[in-house]
């Protein structure tokens, strides 16, 4: 891999630089071809920068931003009034070609509004989508979109989500001819609203998309589909429900292992198995939702992400830059439009 540059919103998220700067350092250590532009207050950044090894400093650039977008700030207000914020700066760097992609753990609504305004949409794409990986049975994985970028989508937008999701699954997920499904209230063809039914017909008439039909919520982890498409309202609820269930399971396992001396002994015996379960279900490794459909690469980290989780988001951005995801989505959209006409 040749030189690759990412811009990071240092002030985004619940914990800001306290978790993002350690993640930035670890990303530089593990990837010698990576360069970072850190966007945030210069006083804060300079103190951290001065403590780093000269070889690390050589791959860092500091971009002074005196404004911060708060986690509860209204998107339109952030777009209008926070042009010198760390979030806006990283997007401007991508738009100018000074960074190949960017990562933020900041306010999701503000990030969507700014990214849409600064980077614009790819030709043929109406709206961006948030997409992320979900674990499935047999050590598999599935992409779920939209996760909340657009709570109300028509059939054409859902169709475009399916096309974009299949491209990401093929390129970044390395899934050959990914199976695409629509999330629905039943698997039967007569189930669902008109919007979902119309999207199903459109996908069924597009041979280049491997459309397999409907899946239900309990199929998300089944490996029936590699890409699961829905609107941002249902997608966000599904994602948050899955995250909550994961935390519940892990907490219950920990609680049960400490109930009494017998459970503690059994837990120690089962420790390798429990460790594997934790590593498989740990939400950190699925952190980093991609905002696809834009003319640049934007990865959204959870606001409450740990340093390790933010590192996964940086890795996701690196993969997408390496695979030139926006240009591949553009090519696929153009090919599908020709196919439909």
């Amino acid at each position: 891999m040749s030189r690759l540059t990412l811009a990071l919103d240092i002030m985004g998220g619940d914990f800001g630089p306290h978790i993002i700067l350690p993640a930035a350092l670890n990303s530089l250590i593990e990837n010698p071809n990576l360069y970072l532009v850190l966007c945030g207050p210069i006083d804060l950044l300079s103190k951290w920068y001065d403590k780093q090894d000269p070889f690390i400093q050589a791959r860092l650039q500091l971009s002074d931003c005196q404004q911060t977008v708060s986690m509860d700030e209204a998107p339109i207000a952030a777009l209008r009034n926070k042009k010198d914020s760390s979030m806006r700066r990283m997007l401007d760097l991508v738009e100018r070609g000074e960074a190949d992609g960017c990562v933020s753990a900041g306010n999701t609504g503000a990030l969507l509004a700014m990214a849409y305004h600064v980077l614009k949409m790819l030709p043929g794409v109406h709206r961006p989508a948030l997409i992320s990986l979900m674990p499935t049975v047999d050590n598999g994985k599935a992409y779920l979109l939209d996760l909340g970028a657009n709570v109300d989508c028509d059939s054409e937008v859902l169709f475009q989500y399916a096309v974009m999701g299949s491209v990401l699954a093929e390129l970044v997920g390395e899934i050959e001819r990914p199976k695409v499904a629509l999330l629905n209230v039943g698997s039967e063809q007569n189930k669902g609203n008109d919007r979902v039914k119309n999207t199903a017909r459109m996908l069924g008439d597009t041979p280049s998309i491997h459309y397999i039909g409907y899946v239900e919520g309990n199929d998300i982890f089944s490996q029936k589909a590699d890409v699961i498409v829905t609107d941002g309202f249902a997608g966000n609820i599904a994602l948050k429900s899955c995250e909550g269930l994961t935390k519940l399971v892990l907490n219950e396992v920990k609680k049960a292992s400490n109930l009494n001396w017998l459970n503690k002994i059994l837990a120690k015996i089962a420790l390798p198995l429990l460790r594997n379960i934790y590593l498989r279900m740990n939400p950190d490794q699925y952190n980093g939702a991609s905002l696809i459909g834009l003319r640049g690469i934007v990865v959204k980290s959870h606001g409450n992400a740990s340093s390790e989780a933010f590192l996964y988001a940086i890795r996701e951005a690196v993969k997408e830059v390496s695979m030139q995801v926006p240009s591949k989505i553009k090519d696929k959209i153009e090919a599908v439009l020709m196919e439909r006409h």
Side-chain angles (χ1 to χ4, degrees):
M1 184 196 306
S2 58
R3 173 171 173 157
L4 184 155
T5 302
L6 296 180
L8 305 184
D9 171 13
I10 298 302
M11 303 307 292
D14 297 337
F15 310 111
H18 300 293
I19 69 102
I20 296 172
L21 290 175
L25 177 60
N26 287 331
S27 70
L28 291 171
I29 291 172
E30 73 176 22
N31 188 343
N33 297 308
L34 179 62
Y35 290 72
L36 297 177
V37 183
L38 307 181
C39 303
I42 194 65
D43 292 344
L44 183 154
L45 293 176
S46 296
K47 291 178 182 178
W48 180 82
Y49 175 88
D50 291 340
K51 298 176 183 177
Q52 305 311 313
D53 185 281
F55 296 103
I56 294 296
Q57 290 180 343
R59 291 190 284 137
L60 287 169
Q61 180 182 337
L62 309 183
S63 184
D64 183 27
C65 309
Q66 293 302 314
Q67 291 181 313
T68 300
V69 176
S70 65
M71 294 299 283
D72 60 352
E73 193 158 356
I76 296 301
L79 178 62
R80 290 175 177 171
N81 305 321
K82 295 298 178 70
K83 296 180 181 179
D84 189 38
S85 64
S86 51
M87 180 182 289
R88 177 61 180 266
R89 181 68 54 79
M90 71 167 195
L91 292 165
D92 287 338
L93 290 168
V94 174
E95 192 276 330
R96 295 198 298 261
E98 297 175 33
D100 301 302
C102 60
V103 185
S104 175
N107 180 321
T108 302
L111 180 62
L112 290 169
M114 286 186 181
Y116 183 87
H117 175 77
V118 174
L119 298 177
K120 307 294 189 300
M121 302 305 301
L122 288 167
V125 179
H126 295 175
R127 296 185 186 179
L130 276 168
I131 180 171
S132 186
L133 270 178
M134 307 289 284
T136 66
V137 297
D138 300 325
N139 291 321
K141 55 193 174 185
Y143 285 90
L144 179 64
L145 77 161
D146 174 31
L147 300 179
N150 297 283
V151 297
D152 189 18
C153 308
D154 60 24
S155 298
E156 182 64 32
V157 170
L158 290 175
F159 175 81
Q160 293 171 6
Y161 285 174
V163 175
M164 295 191 294
S166 67
V167 172
L168 195 72
E170 187 172 355
L171 291 177
V172 180
E174 299 180 341
I175 302 171
E176 186 176 354
R177 192 163 167 71
K179 301 186 294 292
V180 178
L182 290 171
L183 188 64
N184 201 355
V185 295
S187 58
E188 299 85 357
Q189 292 305 305
N190 64 331
K191 292 290 182 71
N193 55 36
D194 289 340
R195 178 179 53 190
V196 171
K197 292 177 182 177
N198 289 336
T199 308
R201 283 191 287 269
M202 294 164 68
L203 290 170
D205 293 336
T206 310
S208 62
I209 302 298
H210 187 188
Y211 176 62
I212 63 168
Y214 300 142
V215 294
E216 299 177 69
N218 59 330
D219 293 321
I220 291 175
F221 306 105
S222 69
Q223 196 60 71
K224 286 184 179 179
D226 302 306
V227 179
I228 300 172
V229 180
T230 186
D231 60 70
F233 186 85
N236 189 268
I237 291 174
L239 176 69
K240 297 296 174 59
S241 299
C242 295
E243 291 174 350
L245 178 61
T246 298
K247 292 177 181 177
L248 172 64
V249 171
L250 294 176
N251 286 336
E252 288 300 309
V253 169
K254 291 178 182 177
K255 187 191 301 182
S257 66
N258 290 312
L259 276 178
N260 52 55
W261 64 269
L262 179 59
N263 282 22
K264 290 181 180 180
I265 293 173
L266 292 174
K268 286 186 178 181
I269 295 173
L271 189 60
L273 174 62
L274 295 175
R275 183 179 292 113
N276 287 337
I277 292 174
Y278 175 78
L279 291 175
R280 180 84 178 108
M281 298 184 69
N282 183 5
D284 282 0
Q285 64 183 306
Y286 303 104
N287 184 46
S290 305
L291 189 53
I292 57 175
L294 298 165
R295 295 174 185 262
I297 291 169
V298 181
V299 173
K300 171 68 175 71
S301 166
H302 283 307
N304 63 353
S306 65
S307 185
E308 181 181 1
F310 196 88
L311 178 58
Y312 276 103
I314 294 175
R315 289 171 180 163
E316 177 64 24
V318 168
K319 289 179 188 176
E320 293 187 25
V321 170
S322 302
M323 297 294 179
Q324 300 179 338
V325 168
S327 65
K328 297 297 175 57
I329 287 177
K330 176 177 176 290
D331 293 343
K332 184 70 173 181
I333 290 288
E334 290 176 351
V336 166
L337 287 174
M338 292 181 64
E339 186 178 4
R340 290 173 63 189
H341 293 97

